[in-house]
Amino acid sequence: MNNVTQNFNFYHGNDPRELVQTFGSPLYVYNERILRERCRDIINLSTYPKFAVNYAVKTNSNLSLLKIIREEGLRTDISSEGEAVAALAAGFLPEEMLFILNGVGAEELAFASKIGSAESQYDTLSATVSVDSLSQLETLGRVNPGGRIFLRFNSGIGGGHHEKVVTGGDGTKFGIMPEYIPQVKELLRKYDLKLIGINQHVGSYIEGELYLEGVEAILRLARQFENLEYIDFGGGFMVPYHKQNGEGPIDLRAIGKRLDAMFFDFAKNYGKELTFMVEPGRYIVAECAVLLGTVHSLKNCGTKKYAGTDLGFSVFKRPTVYDAHHDIDIYRDPARGEGRGHLHADELSASDSKQDIFCGPMEKINIVGNQCETGDFIARDRELPPLREGDVLGILDAGAYGYSMACQYNHRARPAEVLISQDGEVRLIRRRDTYEDMLANMQGL
Ligand code: LLP
């Protein structure tokens, strides 16, 4: 089996088992080099001079990662007031934020509209706000008459790795359908709003072809508005979640070429050089993290084999919520003699010697968490080397929608996060929750 973390030199000479001993299990481990590489891939996606990348902060909002992402020249897509507070704390300016809101109250719309204006504490250019319904447009008009705004449209194109993440096309809650454009124009006039940009998001984890179809569709729609300065095509770029089977990255170069052709052509015909934006989340952060956890129990139940771990869905939700696949690397204690016959380490460098390569028979096993629900699993019927208590597991590509969707179900503390810097140094970038943290907000005893 392909040991992915070793092939990518993910730990930069650090031993994952020692990381767990030092910082506790489970543990999110991030790699700075990979994060920076992914940022650069997307920044270089297009050669169009006014091309911008807004990182979707919902994907992972750890401040240390946000800071690196800003250093690499990305801006932000913000979906809540809280995300804006985090982005500000990481150094982003309001003018580097596009709020893409849906179903929010007047207060949040006012916060987003005023965050960079003279009326707020942040004395810079303001952020921009996008809404995606006629009723939110009316509310935005009331709280920020005369404002410069974006609108999110549903161009009819949708897709994604699971029905729960499809955000375009029929039957999703997102975007204004094009047939409402006359009413949109009426509301813009009523509140003297200036429509400076339109945006869409087709869905998460989509093929390049579908992304490009979405771009074409929203560009067609853009021609119905005269004074646009920005068009934002959303995120959704795929990442290779099956690296152990040899899956490689998507062909960004090919996608970029097609985007370039459309961007230059549109700008020429529109008569002005607009800014074109993309809005990736997963592509930027998924691959820079491994979630480490520990096998604590093994059992047979009927025909099924189970490995019980500390990787419950309070720590990592994607398999439970979307049946998502994540490759798993195994890190075994080399000092434990029994069963060593299945493993050999002769091809490994000294620093990787504890990341054994397995070459014996595999078995099908269900890897489950420690939460009190049957749906709590990390992998179903996965072919793996026979696991043992004490094995440390590495859940690969866990940086996107991993920690950001973690919770404290069963009063379990959310794990710590560490960052391996480009010179191999390990730094704690979020401490584990304490029980005091978890009790602190409760009152009334
Ligand atoms: N822009 C908007 C408006 C979005 O709603 C999203 C994600 C993105 C950009 C970034 O999409 P990405 O490049 O990451 O595909 N929790 C799910 C994914 C939910 C996506 C939500 N919106 C998962 O774990 O697969």
Side-chain angles (χ1 to χ4, degrees):
M1 205 168 72
N2 199 347
N3 186 319
V4 174
T5 42
Q6 187 191 318
N7 296 345
F8 281 80
N9 187 21
F10 185 89
Y11 298 105
H12 213 300
N14 295 284
D15 178 351
R17 294 185 63 86
E18 278 172 27
L19 291 177
V20 157
Q21 270 156 27
T22 310
F23 299 100
S25 179
L27 176 70
Y28 277 94
V29 183
Y30 297 92
N31 178 303
E32 178 178 356
R33 169 181 52 85
I34 297 174
L35 174 59
R36 288 190 188 273
E37 278 170 15
R38 294 298 165 271
C39 291
R40 289 170 199 175
D41 292 347
I42 297 283
I43 286 278
N44 295 322
L45 178 63
S46 170
T47 63
Y48 181 81
K50 287 178 141 189
F51 173 67
V53 182
N54 291 350
Y55 166 66
V57 171
K58 66 192 74 123
T59 320
N60 190 319
S61 53
N62 185 292
L63 298 189
S64 299
L65 305 188
L66 289 179
K67 203 163 155 259
I68 293 170
I69 290 168
R70 180 162 194 270
E71 280 169 15
E72 291 296 332
L74 283 73
R75 304 158 24 97
T76 55
D77 148 31
I78 302 286
S79 70
S80 72
E81 189 171 325
E83 282 182 10
V85 171
L88 287 167
F92 283 99
L93 304 172
E95 67 257 37
E96 294 165 340
M97 296 180 191
L98 172 60
F99 282 80
I100 299 187
L101 303 173
N102 73 94
V104 301
E107 251 178 47
E108 198 162 351
L109 285 172
F111 169 87
S113 305
K114 307 239 155 86
I115 186 171
S117 70
E119 293 157 69
S120 88
Q121 55 176 310
Y122 305 105
D123 189 18
T124 60
L125 287 176
S126 47
T128 318
V129 183
S130 170
V131 290
D132 81 337
S133 66
L134 294 177
S135 73
Q136 294 263 275
L137 178 55
E138 181 102 45
T139 315
L140 183 59
R142 277 201 300 271
V143 302
N144 189 27
R148 288 158 52 84
I149 65 155
F150 270 56
L151 287 175
R152 175 172 180 171
F153 283 97
N154 183 338
S155 69
I157 310 291
H161 66 81
H162 188 279
E163 61 176 323
K164 290 178 186 160
V165 302
V166 177
T167 46
D170 245 8
T172 77
K173 69 167 183 160
F174 296 101
I176 299 172
M177 299 306 282
E179 62 257 35
Y180 292 104
I181 288 179
Q183 288 93 318
V184 161
K185 289 190 171 173
E186 216 174 289
L187 284 171
L188 293 174
R189 269 195 301 276
K190 179 172 169 192
Y191 292 102
D192 190 28
L193 294 165
K194 288 162 203 63
L195 184 67
I196 58 163
I198 61 173
N199 62 295
Q200 75 167 357
H201 176 66
V202 164
S204 201
Y205 196 83
I206 57 176
E207 299 278 353
E209 266 322 306
L210 191 69
Y211 192 86
L212 294 164
E213 247 181 74
V215 172
E216 261 170 18
I218 197 82
L219 286 176
R220 269 197 302 278
L221 215 140
R223 296 200 178 91
Q224 302 191 43
F225 300 97
E226 276 154 24
N227 294 310
L228 297 179
E229 296 168 29
Y230 303 91
I231 302 177
D232 171 5
F233 304 102
F237 300 103
M238 296 170 87
V239 300
Y241 280 123
H242 293 267
K243 294 187 185 71
Q244 286 179 336
N245 284 344
E247 189 188 2
I250 51 166
D251 190 351
L252 278 185
R253 195 172 291 227
I255 297 173
K257 260 194 175 162
R258 306 256 306 271
L259 285 177
D260 272 358
M262 290 195 260
F263 291 171
F264 283 104
D265 184 61
F266 184 89
K268 197 168 101 208
N269 292 321
Y270 196 71
K272 118 172 156 194
E273 216 182 47
L274 305 96
T275 298
F276 293 114
M277 307 196 286
V278 296
E279 209 169 75
R282 186 188 312 275
Y283 188 89
I284 302 295
V285 287
E287 293 173 274
C288 74
V290 171
L291 169 61
L292 297 176
T294 306
V295 176
H296 288 308
S297 72
L298 292 159
K299 72 192 276 191
N300 292 321
C301 226
T303 56
K304 300 260 182 210
K305 251 187 173 5
Y306 287 94
T309 72
D310 52 11
L311 295 165
F313 67 71
S314 63
V315 176
F316 193 60
K317 283 208 176 48
R318 299 198 70 253
T320 292
V321 179
Y322 314 109
D323 283 322
H325 171 97
H326 285 262
D327 282 346
I328 298 174
D329 275 359
I330 302 167
Y331 314 114
R332 181 156 290 173
D333 181 359
R336 282 186 56 183
E338 99 271 9
R340 274 281 290 157
H342 294 303
L343 303 157
H344 72 87
D346 4 307
E347 297 157 338
L348 304 176
S349 68
S351 68
D352 285 325
S353 64
K354 289 172 190 145
Q355 301 175 42
D356 295 298
I357 287 179
F358 179 78
C359 55
M362 310 275 260
E363 67 179 19
K364 268 197 184 156
I365 191 151
N366 294 283
I367 305 198
V368 296
N370 49 12
Q371 236 103 44
C372 307
E373 291 201 27
T374 303
D376 177 31
F377 73 96
I378 287 285
R380 279 196 212 277
D381 288 329
R382 185 69 60 90
E383 290 261 346
L384 285 176
L387 291 175
R388 293 193 236 134
E389 283 178 29
D391 283 347
V392 168
L393 303 182
I395 312 304
L396 308 191
D397 307 311
Y401 309 106
Y403 191 97
S404 66
M405 289 173 66
C407 65
Q408 296 169 333
Y409 184 49
N410 288 165
H411 263 255
R412 289 202 176 274
R414 287 169 306 175
E417 298 180 291
V418 296
L419 177 68
I420 302 178
S421 68
Q422 295 187 93
D423 57 12
E425 195 194 322
V426 180
R427 192 156 53 86
L428 183 66
I429 57 171
R430 177 167 2 214
R431 66 166 168 77
R432 175 179 299 272
D433 292 333
T434 64
Y435 296 126
E436 291 74 41
D437 293 337
M438 293 164 72
L439 298 179
N441 287 345
M442 287 187 265
Q443 300 176 352
L445 278 186

